[in-house]
PDB file of all heavy atoms in Angstrom:
ATOM      1  N   LEU X  52      81.396  64.953 175.232  1.00  0.00           N
ATOM      2  CA  LEU X  52      82.354  65.160 176.241  1.00  0.00           C
ATOM      3  C   LEU X  52      82.291  64.244 177.483  1.00  0.00           C
ATOM      4  O   LEU X  52      81.316  64.220 178.259  1.00  0.00           O
ATOM      5  CB  LEU X  52      82.299  66.672 176.715  1.00  0.00           C
ATOM      6  CG  LEU X  52      83.298  67.120 177.706  1.00  0.00           C
ATOM      7  CD1 LEU X  52      84.702  67.107 177.079  1.00  0.00           C
ATOM      8  CD2 LEU X  52      82.993  68.564 178.216  1.00  0.00           C
ATOM      9  N   TRP X  57      87.091  64.355 186.209  1.00  0.00           N
ATOM     10  CA  TRP X  57      86.868  65.680 187.087  1.00  0.00           C
ATOM     11  C   TRP X  57      86.405  65.207 188.423  1.00  0.00           C
ATOM     12  O   TRP X  57      85.447  64.609 188.592  1.00  0.00           O
ATOM     13  CB  TRP X  57      85.806  66.575 186.349  1.00  0.00           C
ATOM     14  CG  TRP X  57      85.901  66.755 184.836  1.00  0.00           C
ATOM     15  CD1 TRP X  57      87.114  66.507 184.213  1.00  0.00           C
ATOM     16  CD2 TRP X  57      84.887  67.273 184.128  1.00  0.00           C
ATOM     17  NE1 TRP X  57      86.838  66.884 182.887  1.00  0.00           N
ATOM     18  CE2 TRP X  57      85.446  67.372 182.747  1.00  0.00           C
ATOM     19  CE3 TRP X  57      83.581  67.641 184.192  1.00  0.00           C
ATOM     20  CZ2 TRP X  57      84.678  67.817 181.659  1.00  0.00           C
ATOM     21  CZ3 TRP X  57      82.919  68.110 183.161  1.00  0.00           C
ATOM     22  CH2 TRP X  57      83.465  68.196 181.842  1.00  0.00           C
ATOM     23  N   THR X  62      90.524  69.288 188.550  1.00  0.00           N
ATOM     24  CA  THR X  62      89.743  70.101 189.642  1.00  0.00           C
ATOM     25  C   THR X  62      88.392  70.496 188.977  1.00  0.00           C
ATOM     26  O   THR X  62      88.162  70.399 187.808  1.00  0.00           O
ATOM     27  CB  THR X  62      90.688  71.379 189.834  1.00  0.00           C
ATOM     28  OG1 THR X  62      90.679  72.152 188.590  1.00  0.00           O
ATOM     29  CG2 THR X  62      92.078  70.872 190.416  1.00  0.00           C
ATOM     30  N   GLU X  63      87.737  71.110 189.811  1.00  0.00           N
ATOM     31  CA  GLU X  63      86.452  71.815 189.416  1.00  0.00           C
ATOM     32  C   GLU X  63      86.688  72.918 188.429  1.00  0.00           C
ATOM     33  O   GLU X  63      85.947  72.859 187.342  1.00  0.00           O
ATOM     34  CB  GLU X  63      85.691  72.426 190.645  1.00  0.00           C
ATOM     35  CG  GLU X  63      84.386  72.994 190.220  1.00  0.00           C
ATOM     36  CD  GLU X  63      83.561  73.556 191.425  1.00  0.00           C
ATOM     37  OE1 GLU X  63      84.308  74.242 192.375  1.00  0.00           O
ATOM     38  OE2 GLU X  63      82.442  73.419 191.522  1.00  0.00           O
ATOM     39  N   ALA X  64      87.761  73.685 188.622  1.00  0.00           N
ATOM     40  CA  ALA X  64      87.968  74.748 187.636  1.00  0.00           C
ATOM     41  C   ALA X  64      88.306  74.169 186.280  1.00  0.00           C
ATOM     42  O   ALA X  64      87.909  74.687 185.241  1.00  0.00           O
ATOM     43  CB  ALA X  64      89.027  75.640 188.124  1.00  0.00           C
ATOM     44  N   GLU X  65      88.964  73.112 186.235  1.00  0.00           N
ATOM     45  CA  GLU X  65      89.445  72.432 185.095  1.00  0.00           C
ATOM     46  C   GLU X  65      88.295  71.880 184.242  1.00  0.00           C
ATOM     47  O   GLU X  65      88.221  72.015 183.085  1.00  0.00           O
ATOM     48  CB  GLU X  65      90.668  71.463 185.259  1.00  0.00           C
ATOM     49  CG  GLU X  65      92.013  72.096 185.606  1.00  0.00           C
ATOM     50  CD  GLU X  65      92.885  71.067 186.181  1.00  0.00           C
ATOM     51  OE1 GLU X  65      92.573  69.983 186.511  1.00  0.00           O
ATOM     52  OE2 GLU X  65      94.176  71.432 186.242  1.00  0.00           O
ATOM     53  N   GLY X  66      87.457  71.303 185.084  1.00  0.00           N
ATOM     54  CA  GLY X  66      86.161  70.633 184.431  1.00  0.00           C
ATOM     55  C   GLY X  66      85.412  71.878 183.950  1.00  0.00           C
ATOM     56  O   GLY X  66      84.837  71.797 182.679  1.00  0.00           O
ATOM     57  N   HIS X  67      85.158  73.027 184.590  1.00  0.00           N
ATOM     58  CA  HIS X  67      84.398  74.052 184.081  1.00  0.00           C
ATOM     59  C   HIS X  67      85.083  74.479 182.735  1.00  0.00           C
ATOM     60  O   HIS X  67      84.362  74.905 181.762  1.00  0.00           O
ATOM     61  CB  HIS X  67      84.331  75.269 184.955  1.00  0.00           C
ATOM     62  CG  HIS X  67      83.404  74.925 186.169  1.00  0.00           C
ATOM     63  ND1 HIS X  67      82.955  75.756 187.007  1.00  0.00           N
ATOM     64  CD2 HIS X  67      82.765  73.711 186.670  1.00  0.00           C
ATOM     65  CE1 HIS X  67      82.130  75.282 187.968  1.00  0.00           C
ATOM     66  NE2 HIS X  67      82.079  74.057 187.628  1.00  0.00           N
ATOM     67  N   ALA X  68      86.305  74.702 182.739  1.00  0.00           N
ATOM     68  CA  ALA X  68      87.098  75.145 181.513  1.00  0.00           C
ATOM     69  C   ALA X  68      86.901  74.220 180.275  1.00  0.00           C
ATOM     70  O   ALA X  68      86.740  74.720 179.218  1.00  0.00           O
ATOM     71  CB  ALA X  68      88.613  75.325 181.721  1.00  0.00           C
ATOM     72  N   GLN X  69      86.833  73.021 180.662  1.00  0.00           N
ATOM     73  CA  GLN X  69      86.632  71.896 179.511  1.00  0.00           C
ATOM     74  C   GLN X  69      85.175  72.168 178.934  1.00  0.00           C
ATOM     75  O   GLN X  69      85.091  72.057 177.737  1.00  0.00           O
ATOM     76  CB  GLN X  69      86.849  70.561 180.086  1.00  0.00           C
ATOM     77  CG  GLN X  69      88.267  70.131 180.273  1.00  0.00           C
ATOM     78  CD  GLN X  69      88.461  68.566 180.304  1.00  0.00           C
ATOM     79  OE1 GLN X  69      87.631  67.838 179.862  1.00  0.00           O
ATOM     80  NE2 GLN X  69      89.603  68.221 180.887  1.00  0.00           N
ATOM     81  N   MET X  70      84.176  72.286 179.896  1.00  0.00           N
ATOM     82  CA  MET X  70      82.851  72.433 179.385  1.00  0.00           C
ATOM     83  C   MET X  70      82.691  73.741 178.659  1.00  0.00           C
ATOM     84  O   MET X  70      82.050  73.671 177.509  1.00  0.00           O
ATOM     85  CB  MET X  70      81.755  72.280 180.615  1.00  0.00           C
ATOM     86  CG  MET X  70      81.723  70.993 181.050  1.00  0.00           C
ATOM     87  SD  MET X  70      80.487  70.858 182.395  1.00  0.00           S
ATOM     88  CE  MET X  70      81.432  71.268 183.918  1.00  0.00           C
ATOM     89  N   ASP X  71      83.205  74.798 179.022  1.00  0.00           N
ATOM     90  CA  ASP X  71      83.150  76.093 178.193  1.00  0.00           C
ATOM     91  C   ASP X  71      83.758  75.855 176.860  1.00  0.00           C
ATOM     92  O   ASP X  71      83.203  76.263 175.866  1.00  0.00           O
ATOM     93  CB  ASP X  71      84.003  77.142 178.930  1.00  0.00           C
ATOM     94  CG  ASP X  71      83.347  77.698 180.262  1.00  0.00           C
ATOM     95  OD1 ASP X  71      82.024  77.548 180.402  1.00  0.00           O
ATOM     96  OD2 ASP X  71      84.087  78.238 181.042  1.00  0.00           O
ATOM     97  N   TYR X  72      84.991  75.210 176.879  1.00  0.00           N
ATOM     98  CA  TYR X  72      85.652  75.064 175.536  1.00  0.00           C
ATOM     99  C   TYR X  72      84.799  74.193 174.644  1.00  0.00           C
ATOM    100  O   TYR X  72      84.622  74.441 173.413  1.00  0.00           O
ATOM    101  CB  TYR X  72      87.050  74.625 175.709  1.00  0.00           C
ATOM    102  CG  TYR X  72      87.738  74.338 174.500  1.00  0.00           C
ATOM    103  CD1 TYR X  72      88.341  75.463 173.776  1.00  0.00           C
ATOM    104  CD2 TYR X  72      88.074  73.090 173.897  1.00  0.00           C
ATOM    105  CE1 TYR X  72      89.040  75.274 172.593  1.00  0.00           C
ATOM    106  CE2 TYR X  72      88.645  72.867 172.699  1.00  0.00           C
ATOM    107  CZ  TYR X  72      89.162  74.034 172.089  1.00  0.00           C
ATOM    108  OH  TYR X  72      89.850  73.787 170.928  1.00  0.00           O
ATOM    109  N   ALA X  73      84.341  73.110 175.153  1.00  0.00           N
ATOM    110  CA  ALA X  73      83.594  72.045 174.267  1.00  0.00           C
ATOM    111  C   ALA X  73      82.390  72.658 173.762  1.00  0.00           C
ATOM    112  O   ALA X  73      81.998  72.530 172.562  1.00  0.00           O
ATOM    113  CB  ALA X  73      83.256  70.855 175.154  1.00  0.00           C
ATOM    114  N   LEU X  74      81.707  73.425 174.643  1.00  0.00           N
ATOM    115  CA  LEU X  74      80.399  74.033 174.069  1.00  0.00           C
ATOM    116  C   LEU X  74      80.660  74.985 172.921  1.00  0.00           C
ATOM    117  O   LEU X  74      80.009  75.052 171.931  1.00  0.00           O
ATOM    118  CB  LEU X  74      79.792  74.722 175.280  1.00  0.00           C
ATOM    119  CG  LEU X  74      78.364  75.052 175.221  1.00  0.00           C
ATOM    120  CD1 LEU X  74      77.523  73.811 175.240  1.00  0.00           C
ATOM    121  CD2 LEU X  74      77.904  75.861 176.371  1.00  0.00           C
ATOM    122  N   ASP X  75      81.827  75.803 173.087  1.00  0.00           N
ATOM    123  CA  ASP X  75      82.262  76.695 172.068  1.00  0.00           C
ATOM    124  C   ASP X  75      82.567  75.970 170.722  1.00  0.00           C
ATOM    125  O   ASP X  75      82.405  76.612 169.754  1.00  0.00           O
ATOM    126  CB  ASP X  75      83.537  77.400 172.577  1.00  0.00           C
ATOM    127  CG  ASP X  75      83.372  78.756 173.020  1.00  0.00           C
ATOM    128  OD1 ASP X  75      82.197  79.172 173.235  1.00  0.00           O
ATOM    129  OD2 ASP X  75      84.319  79.536 173.184  1.00  0.00           O
ATOM    130  N   ILE X 102      80.485  68.799 189.935  1.00  0.00           N
ATOM    131  CA  ILE X 102      81.172  69.965 189.078  1.00  0.00           C
ATOM    132  C   ILE X 102      80.286  70.328 187.949  1.00  0.00           C
ATOM    133  O   ILE X 102      80.380  71.494 187.553  1.00  0.00           O
ATOM    134  CB  ILE X 102      82.502  69.226 188.584  1.00  0.00           C
ATOM    135  CG1 ILE X 102      83.458  69.198 189.951  1.00  0.00           C
ATOM    136  CG2 ILE X 102      83.169  70.012 187.511  1.00  0.00           C
ATOM    137  CD1 ILE X 102      84.860  68.463 189.527  1.00  0.00           C
ATOM    138  N   TRP X 106      78.583  74.151 187.399  1.00  0.00           N
ATOM    139  CA  TRP X 106      78.795  74.824 186.013  1.00  0.00           C
ATOM    140  C   TRP X 106      77.417  75.304 185.497  1.00  0.00           C
ATOM    141  O   TRP X 106      77.335  76.512 185.054  1.00  0.00           O
ATOM    142  CB  TRP X 106      79.522  73.891 185.075  1.00  0.00           C
ATOM    143  CG  TRP X 106      79.857  74.557 183.829  1.00  0.00           C
ATOM    144  CD1 TRP X 106      80.921  75.256 183.414  1.00  0.00           C
ATOM    145  CD2 TRP X 106      79.077  74.270 182.579  1.00  0.00           C
ATOM    146  NE1 TRP X 106      80.971  75.600 182.176  1.00  0.00           N
ATOM    147  CE2 TRP X 106      79.866  74.978 181.408  1.00  0.00           C
ATOM    148  CE3 TRP X 106      78.025  73.494 182.196  1.00  0.00           C
ATOM    149  CZ2 TRP X 106      79.452  74.929 180.206  1.00  0.00           C
ATOM    150  CZ3 TRP X 106      77.621  73.429 180.863  1.00  0.00           C
ATOM    151  CH2 TRP X 106      78.327  74.219 179.934  1.00  0.00           C
ATOM    152  N   ARG X 110      76.711  79.162 184.916  1.00  0.00           N
ATOM    153  CA  ARG X 110      76.544  79.711 183.526  1.00  0.00           C
ATOM    154  C   ARG X 110      75.157  79.909 183.074  1.00  0.00           C
ATOM    155  O   ARG X 110      74.780  80.542 182.098  1.00  0.00           O
ATOM    156  CB  ARG X 110      77.251  78.684 182.436  1.00  0.00           C
ATOM    157  CG  ARG X 110      78.770  78.459 182.706  1.00  0.00           C
ATOM    158  CD  ARG X 110      79.659  79.587 182.548  1.00  0.00           C
ATOM    159  NE  ARG X 110      81.033  79.178 182.537  1.00  0.00           N
ATOM    160  CZ  ARG X 110      81.889  79.071 183.653  1.00  0.00           C
ATOM    161  NH1 ARG X 110      81.386  79.474 184.766  1.00  0.00           N
ATOM    162  NH2 ARG X 110      83.053  78.726 183.537  1.00  0.00           N
ATOM    163  N   LEU X 347      93.357  71.162 178.451  1.00  0.00           N
ATOM    164  CA  LEU X 347      92.644  71.832 177.402  1.00  0.00           C
ATOM    165  C   LEU X 347      93.471  71.481 175.992  1.00  0.00           C
ATOM    166  O   LEU X 347      92.785  71.465 174.996  1.00  0.00           O
ATOM    167  CB  LEU X 347      92.681  73.267 177.653  1.00  0.00           C
ATOM    168  CG  LEU X 347      91.500  73.720 178.625  1.00  0.00           C
ATOM    169  CD1 LEU X 347      91.643  75.199 178.796  1.00  0.00           C
ATOM    170  CD2 LEU X 347      90.212  73.396 178.078  1.00  0.00           C
ATOM    171  N   LEU X 350      92.206  68.276 174.920  1.00  0.00           N
ATOM    172  CA  LEU X 350      90.820  68.493 174.425  1.00  0.00           C
ATOM    173  C   LEU X 350      90.713  69.099 172.974  1.00  0.00           C
ATOM    174  O   LEU X 350      89.944  68.645 172.202  1.00  0.00           O
ATOM    175  CB  LEU X 350      90.036  69.247 175.567  1.00  0.00           C
ATOM    176  CG  LEU X 350      88.498  69.498 175.286  1.00  0.00           C
ATOM    177  CD1 LEU X 350      87.872  68.107 175.338  1.00  0.00           C
ATOM    178  CD2 LEU X 350      87.891  70.323 176.344  1.00  0.00           C
TER     179      LEU X 350
END
Side-chain angles (χ1 to χ4, degrees):
L52 183 64
W57 311 345
T62 64
E63 179 177 43
E65 288 167 345
H67 286 193
Q69 286 200 22
M70 287 184 274
D71 288 337
Y72 180 76
L74 202 63
D75 255 15
I102 288 172
W106 183 80
R110 306 288 190 272
L347 282 177
L350 187 60

